[in-house]
Amino acid sequence: MSDSTLIINNVWAPPSDRITAALRVGVLIVGFALLTAALAQFELRLGFTPVPITGQTLGVLLAGAALGPALGSSSQLLYWAMGMMGLPFYAGGKSGWTQATGATMGYFVGFIIAAAAVGYLAQRRSDRNFASSLAAMSLGTIVIYACGAGWLAHSLGIPLATGETNAIALGVTPFLIGDAVKLVIAGALLPASWIMVRRVRGQQD
């Protein structure tokens, strides 16, 4: 039985045939990995930090909310792996082991955890209205920041939050405004999708 609390299962219901169901899962995981990769190409490099401004966190949040914790996190794990294997999927078309495990590795790990967290909340209907959806997306963003800044501090050998040069200043502060816009977009898209599904089905949740 499909999990009807997730928007994807109301838009594209899992088929009963196992092979077709497995193909559907593969398409969803690959599709959202490619969405994250596409959004990563919207890149703005800042001269003072190795972390670029990109659109990829929007893909992460949408993957978790749409697919749930298991498939959402799997899509982000696949995204990380595809770039690691040499596909030009990271910001600016970069790829490879060095990029995947370098100063920004914490963000890739954060993508996986954030997608799982947002997906878990989506299963509990956090995506049904803007306020709760925004809260879930905010949590996902905080997870990404925590993992990203923590690894950045370790990788560069700098303090997390103290001193003139620290990981928060390099890996969090420059991205607050842009990420606020992205989480508002993600927070609005899911409730809007549910409204459309209800109208099509003529049902009230």
Side-chain angles (χ1 to χ4, degrees):
M1 182 179 295
S2 67
D3 183 356
S4 62
T5 62
L6 294 174
I7 186 66
I8 195 65
N9 292 332
N10 288 268
V11 174
W12 184 10
S16 57
D17 176 72
R18 290 186 179 181
I19 294 178
T20 307
L23 288 173
R24 171 185 176 273
V25 167
V27 167
L28 292 174
I29 292 174
V30 172
F32 274 87
L34 293 177
L35 172 63
T36 305
L39 291 171
Q41 306 317 307
F42 293 90
E43 178 201 32
L44 176 62
R45 287 276 170 183
L46 304 175
F48 60 90
T49 173
V51 185
I53 296 174
T54 73
Q56 63 197 138
T57 53
L58 177 59
V60 175
L61 299 175
L62 291 176
L67 303 183
L71 299 188
S73 59
S74 295
S75 73
Q76 298 311 303
L77 177 59
L78 178 61
Y79 166 67
W80 186 19
M82 289 191 296
M84 190 183 298
M85 291 185 294
L87 294 173
F89 285 173
Y90 297 158
K94 296 183 183 300
S95 64
W97 176 261
T98 300
Q99 291 293 325
T101 60
T104 57
M105 186 180 81
Y107 293 94
F108 294 122
V109 175
F111 292 168
I112 298 168
I113 300 173
V118 173
Y120 174 84
L121 294 174
Q123 284 184 326
R124 281 146 185 80
R125 300 172 181 261
S126 69
D127 59 342
R128 303 305 175 92
N129 65 75
F130 179 69
S132 60
S133 181
L134 186 63
M137 302 302 176
S138 298
L139 174 62
T141 302
I142 290 171
V143 168
I144 294 171
Y145 282 156
C147 295
W151 179 258
L152 191 64
H154 169 76
S155 178
L156 299 182
I158 58 176
L160 179 62
T162 59
E164 185 175 342
T165 301
N166 60 71
I168 298 295
L170 295 181
V172 176
T173 306
F175 313 103
L176 290 174
I177 295 176
D179 283 339
V181 173
K182 285 180 280 185
L183 69 88
V184 167
I185 293 172
L189 279 175
L190 270 297
S193 299
W194 277 109
I195 290 172
M196 292 178 63
V197 166
R198 292 170 193 153
R199 285 179 178 174
V200 169
R201 293 188 172 184
Q203 298 175 348
Q204 292 295 323
D205 187 36

